[in-house]
PDB file of all heavy atoms in Angstrom:
ATOM      1  N   LEU A1544      -0.546  -5.269   4.909  1.00 98.00           N
ATOM      2  CA  LEU A1544       0.575  -4.404   4.596  1.00 98.00           C
ATOM      3  C   LEU A1544       0.404  -3.084   5.340  1.00 98.00           C
ATOM      4  O   LEU A1544      -0.589  -2.371   5.123  1.00 98.00           O
ATOM      5  CB  LEU A1544       0.617  -4.170   3.091  1.00 98.00           C
ATOM      6  CG  LEU A1544       1.894  -3.621   2.453  1.00 98.00           C
ATOM      7  CD1 LEU A1544       3.087  -4.493   2.793  1.00 98.00           C
ATOM      8  CD2 LEU A1544       1.726  -3.514   0.935  1.00 98.00           C
ATOM      9  N   GLN A1545       1.348  -2.769   6.232  1.00 98.00           N
ATOM     10  CA  GLN A1545       1.256  -1.602   7.090  1.00 98.00           C
ATOM     11  C   GLN A1545       2.560  -0.809   7.085  1.00 98.00           C
ATOM     12  O   GLN A1545       3.628  -1.380   6.848  1.00 98.00           O
ATOM     13  CB  GLN A1545       0.958  -2.019   8.544  1.00 98.00           C
ATOM     14  CG  GLN A1545      -0.295  -2.854   8.743  1.00 98.00           C
ATOM     15  CD  GLN A1545      -1.572  -2.060   8.648  1.00 98.00           C
ATOM     16  OE1 GLN A1545      -2.492  -2.449   7.930  1.00 98.00           O
ATOM     17  NE2 GLN A1545      -1.647  -0.946   9.342  1.00 98.00           N
ATOM     18  N   ALA A1546       2.477   0.490   7.356  1.00 97.00           N
ATOM     19  CA  ALA A1546       3.646   1.350   7.526  1.00 97.00           C
ATOM     20  C   ALA A1546       3.765   1.711   8.997  1.00 97.00           C
ATOM     21  O   ALA A1546       2.783   2.081   9.641  1.00 97.00           O
ATOM     22  CB  ALA A1546       3.522   2.619   6.688  1.00 97.00           C
ATOM     23  N   GLU A1547       4.973   1.593   9.538  1.00 96.00           N
ATOM     24  CA  GLU A1547       5.177   1.850  10.954  1.00 96.00           C
ATOM     25  C   GLU A1547       4.952   3.302  11.335  1.00 96.00           C
ATOM     26  O   GLU A1547       4.631   3.616  12.480  1.00 96.00           O
ATOM     27  CB  GLU A1547       6.587   1.423  11.367  1.00 96.00           C
ATOM     28  CG  GLU A1547       6.812  -0.078  11.289  1.00 96.00           C
ATOM     29  CD  GLU A1547       8.246  -0.479  11.548  1.00 96.00           C
ATOM     30  OE1 GLU A1547       9.052   0.422  11.899  1.00 96.00           O
ATOM     31  OE2 GLU A1547       8.579  -1.672  11.391  1.00 96.00           O
ATOM     32  N   ASP A1548       5.084   4.226  10.359  1.00 95.00           N
ATOM     33  CA  ASP A1548       4.906   5.652  10.657  1.00 95.00           C
ATOM     34  C   ASP A1548       3.554   6.174  10.184  1.00 95.00           C
ATOM     35  O   ASP A1548       3.384   7.377   9.994  1.00 95.00           O
ATOM     36  CB  ASP A1548       6.037   6.469  10.061  1.00 95.00           C
ATOM     37  CG  ASP A1548       6.038   6.453   8.539  1.00 95.00           C
ATOM     38  OD1 ASP A1548       5.309   5.625   7.941  1.00 95.00           O
ATOM     39  OD2 ASP A1548       6.783   7.264   7.927  1.00 95.00           O
ATOM     40  N   ASP A1549       2.594   5.265   9.986  1.00 96.00           N
ATOM     41  CA  ASP A1549       1.247   5.665   9.546  1.00 96.00           C
ATOM     42  C   ASP A1549       0.577   6.483  10.654  1.00 96.00           C
ATOM     43  O   ASP A1549       0.330   5.963  11.740  1.00 96.00           O
ATOM     44  CB  ASP A1549       0.416   4.420   9.232  1.00 96.00           C
ATOM     45  CG  ASP A1549      -0.904   4.727   8.537  1.00 96.00           C
ATOM     46  OD1 ASP A1549      -1.491   5.791   8.836  1.00 96.00           O
ATOM     47  OD2 ASP A1549      -1.344   3.905   7.722  1.00 96.00           O
ATOM     48  N   PRO A1550       0.250   7.760  10.408  1.00 96.00           N
ATOM     49  CA  PRO A1550      -0.350   8.575  11.469  1.00 96.00           C
ATOM     50  C   PRO A1550      -1.839   8.300  11.683  1.00 96.00           C
ATOM     51  O   PRO A1550      -2.387   8.661  12.739  1.00 96.00           O
ATOM     52  CB  PRO A1550      -0.139  10.017  10.963  1.00 96.00           C
ATOM     53  CG  PRO A1550      -0.129   9.874   9.472  1.00 96.00           C
ATOM     54  CD  PRO A1550       0.497   8.536   9.178  1.00 96.00           C
ATOM     55  N   ILE A1551      -2.504   7.650  10.737  1.00 97.00           N
ATOM     56  CA  ILE A1551      -3.936   7.430  10.825  1.00 97.00           C
ATOM     57  C   ILE A1551      -4.260   6.004  11.277  1.00 97.00           C
ATOM     58  O   ILE A1551      -5.260   5.755  11.953  1.00 97.00           O
ATOM     59  CB  ILE A1551      -4.618   7.736   9.474  1.00 97.00           C
ATOM     60  CG1 ILE A1551      -4.478   9.251   9.192  1.00 97.00           C
ATOM     61  CG2 ILE A1551      -6.068   7.322   9.442  1.00 97.00           C
ATOM     62  CD1 ILE A1551      -5.001   9.662   7.819  1.00 97.00           C
ATOM     63  N   ALA A1552      -3.431   5.063  10.892  1.00 97.00           N
ATOM     64  CA  ALA A1552      -3.569   3.665  11.344  1.00 97.00           C
ATOM     65  C   ALA A1552      -2.360   3.335  12.218  1.00 97.00           C
ATOM     66  O   ALA A1552      -1.363   2.789  11.739  1.00 97.00           O
ATOM     67  CB  ALA A1552      -3.639   2.718  10.144  1.00 97.00           C
ATOM     68  N   PRO A1553      -2.410   3.676  13.508  1.00 96.00           N
ATOM     69  CA  PRO A1553      -1.236   3.542  14.374  1.00 96.00           C
ATOM     70  C   PRO A1553      -0.707   2.117  14.435  1.00 96.00           C
ATOM     71  O   PRO A1553      -1.474   1.153  14.486  1.00 96.00           O
ATOM     72  CB  PRO A1553      -1.766   3.990  15.744  1.00 96.00           C
ATOM     73  CG  PRO A1553      -2.985   4.800  15.461  1.00 96.00           C
ATOM     74  CD  PRO A1553      -3.584   4.214  14.219  1.00 96.00           C
ATOM     75  N   SER A1554       0.611   1.999  14.427  1.00 97.00           N
ATOM     76  CA  SER A1554       1.218   0.661  14.434  1.00 97.00           C
ATOM     77  C   SER A1554       0.901  -0.083  15.746  1.00 97.00           C
ATOM     78  O   SER A1554       0.927  -1.319  15.762  1.00 97.00           O
ATOM     79  CB  SER A1554       2.729   0.773  14.260  1.00 97.00           C
ATOM     80  OG  SER A1554       3.312   1.570  15.289  1.00 97.00           O
ATOM     81  N   ALA A1555       0.570   0.649  16.812  1.00 97.00           N
ATOM     82  CA  ALA A1555       0.225  -0.001  18.070  1.00 97.00           C
ATOM     83  C   ALA A1555      -1.061  -0.818  17.953  1.00 97.00           C
ATOM     84  O   ALA A1555      -1.301  -1.721  18.748  1.00 97.00           O
ATOM     85  CB  ALA A1555       0.064   1.038  19.176  1.00 97.00           C
ATOM     86  N   GLY A1556      -1.868  -0.551  16.944  1.00 98.00           N
ATOM     87  CA  GLY A1556      -3.103  -1.277  16.754  1.00 98.00           C
ATOM     88  C   GLY A1556      -2.983  -2.537  15.928  1.00 98.00           C
ATOM     89  O   GLY A1556      -3.941  -3.298  15.806  1.00 98.00           O
ATOM     90  N   ILE A1557      -1.811  -2.778  15.334  1.00 98.00           N
ATOM     91  CA  ILE A1557      -1.645  -3.973  14.478  1.00 98.00           C
ATOM     92  C   ILE A1557      -1.700  -5.235  15.334  1.00 98.00           C
ATOM     93  O   ILE A1557      -0.915  -5.380  16.294  1.00 98.00           O
ATOM     94  CB  ILE A1557      -0.295  -3.906  13.730  1.00 98.00           C
ATOM     95  CG1 ILE A1557      -0.215  -2.655  12.862  1.00 98.00           C
ATOM     96  CG2 ILE A1557      -0.110  -5.154  12.883  1.00 98.00           C
ATOM     97  CD1 ILE A1557       1.133  -2.430  12.215  1.00 98.00           C
ATOM     98  N   PRO A1558      -2.559  -6.177  15.032  1.00 98.00           N
ATOM     99  CA  PRO A1558      -2.684  -7.404  15.831  1.00 98.00           C
ATOM    100  C   PRO A1558      -1.623  -8.429  15.449  1.00 98.00           C
ATOM    101  O   PRO A1558      -1.921  -9.508  14.919  1.00 98.00           O
ATOM    102  CB  PRO A1558      -4.092  -7.899  15.505  1.00 98.00           C
ATOM    103  CG  PRO A1558      -4.324  -7.438  14.097  1.00 98.00           C
ATOM    104  CD  PRO A1558      -3.598  -6.122  13.966  1.00 98.00           C
ATOM    105  N   THR A1559      -0.370  -8.114  15.731  1.00 98.00           N
ATOM    106  CA  THR A1559       0.750  -8.946  15.287  1.00 98.00           C
ATOM    107  C   THR A1559       0.640 -10.371  15.790  1.00 98.00           C
ATOM    108  O   THR A1559       0.859 -11.332  15.032  1.00 98.00           O
ATOM    109  CB  THR A1559       2.071  -8.320  15.727  1.00 98.00           C
ATOM    110  OG1 THR A1559       2.142  -6.962  15.238  1.00 98.00           O
ATOM    111  CG2 THR A1559       3.253  -9.091  15.198  1.00 98.00           C
ATOM    112  N   ALA A1560       0.329 -10.537  17.066  1.00 98.00           N
ATOM    113  CA  ALA A1560       0.258 -11.878  17.639  1.00 98.00           C
ATOM    114  C   ALA A1560      -0.852 -12.703  16.996  1.00 98.00           C
ATOM    115  O   ALA A1560      -0.667 -13.895  16.703  1.00 98.00           O
ATOM    116  CB  ALA A1560       0.042 -11.787  19.155  1.00 98.00           C
ATOM    117  N   ALA A1561      -2.011 -12.084  16.749  1.00 98.00           N
ATOM    118  CA  ALA A1561      -3.114 -12.808  16.124  1.00 98.00           C
ATOM    119  C   ALA A1561      -2.773 -13.203  14.692  1.00 98.00           C
ATOM    120  O   ALA A1561      -3.113 -14.304  14.232  1.00 98.00           O
ATOM    121  CB  ALA A1561      -4.387 -11.948  16.147  1.00 98.00           C
ATOM    122  N   ILE A1562      -2.086 -12.325  13.977  1.00 98.00           N
ATOM    123  CA  ILE A1562      -1.682 -12.635  12.596  1.00 98.00           C
ATOM    124  C   ILE A1562      -0.679 -13.792  12.603  1.00 98.00           C
ATOM    125  O   ILE A1562      -0.776 -14.727  11.791  1.00 98.00           O
ATOM    126  CB  ILE A1562      -1.093 -11.384  11.915  1.00 98.00           C
ATOM    127  CG1 ILE A1562      -2.200 -10.341  11.698  1.00 98.00           C
ATOM    128  CG2 ILE A1562      -0.419 -11.745  10.597  1.00 98.00           C
ATOM    129  CD1 ILE A1562      -1.697  -9.005  11.198  1.00 98.00           C
ATOM    130  N   ALA A1563       0.281 -13.742  13.503  1.00 98.00           N
ATOM    131  CA  ALA A1563       1.280 -14.814  13.580  1.00 98.00           C
ATOM    132  C   ALA A1563       0.656 -16.161  13.935  1.00 98.00           C
ATOM    133  O   ALA A1563       1.154 -17.210  13.524  1.00 98.00           O
ATOM    134  CB  ALA A1563       2.353 -14.439  14.594  1.00 98.00           C
ATOM    135  N   ALA A1564      -0.430 -16.116  14.701  1.00 98.00           N
ATOM    136  CA  ALA A1564      -1.079 -17.355  15.158  1.00 98.00           C
ATOM    137  C   ALA A1564      -1.991 -17.965  14.100  1.00 98.00           C
ATOM    138  O   ALA A1564      -2.376 -19.132  14.224  1.00 98.00           O
ATOM    139  CB  ALA A1564      -1.862 -17.093  16.432  1.00 98.00           C
ATOM    140  N   ASN A1565      -2.347 -17.181  13.073  1.00 98.00           N
ATOM    141  CA  ASN A1565      -3.234 -17.686  12.021  1.00 98.00           C
ATOM    142  C   ASN A1565      -2.398 -18.036  10.800  1.00 98.00           C
ATOM    143  O   ASN A1565      -1.827 -17.152  10.155  1.00 98.00           O
ATOM    144  CB  ASN A1565      -4.279 -16.623  11.660  1.00 98.00           C
ATOM    145  CG  ASN A1565      -5.312 -17.137  10.678  1.00 98.00           C
ATOM    146  OD1 ASN A1565      -5.070 -18.078   9.920  1.00 98.00           O
ATOM    147  ND2 ASN A1565      -6.487 -16.513  10.676  1.00 98.00           N
TER     148      ASN A1565
END
Side-chain angles (χ1 to χ4, degrees):
L1544 196 56
Q1545 303 286 130
E1547 293 174 6
D1548 66 348
D1549 190 327
I1551 294 176
S1554 59
I1557 301 173
T1559 305
I1562 291 173
N1565 186 335

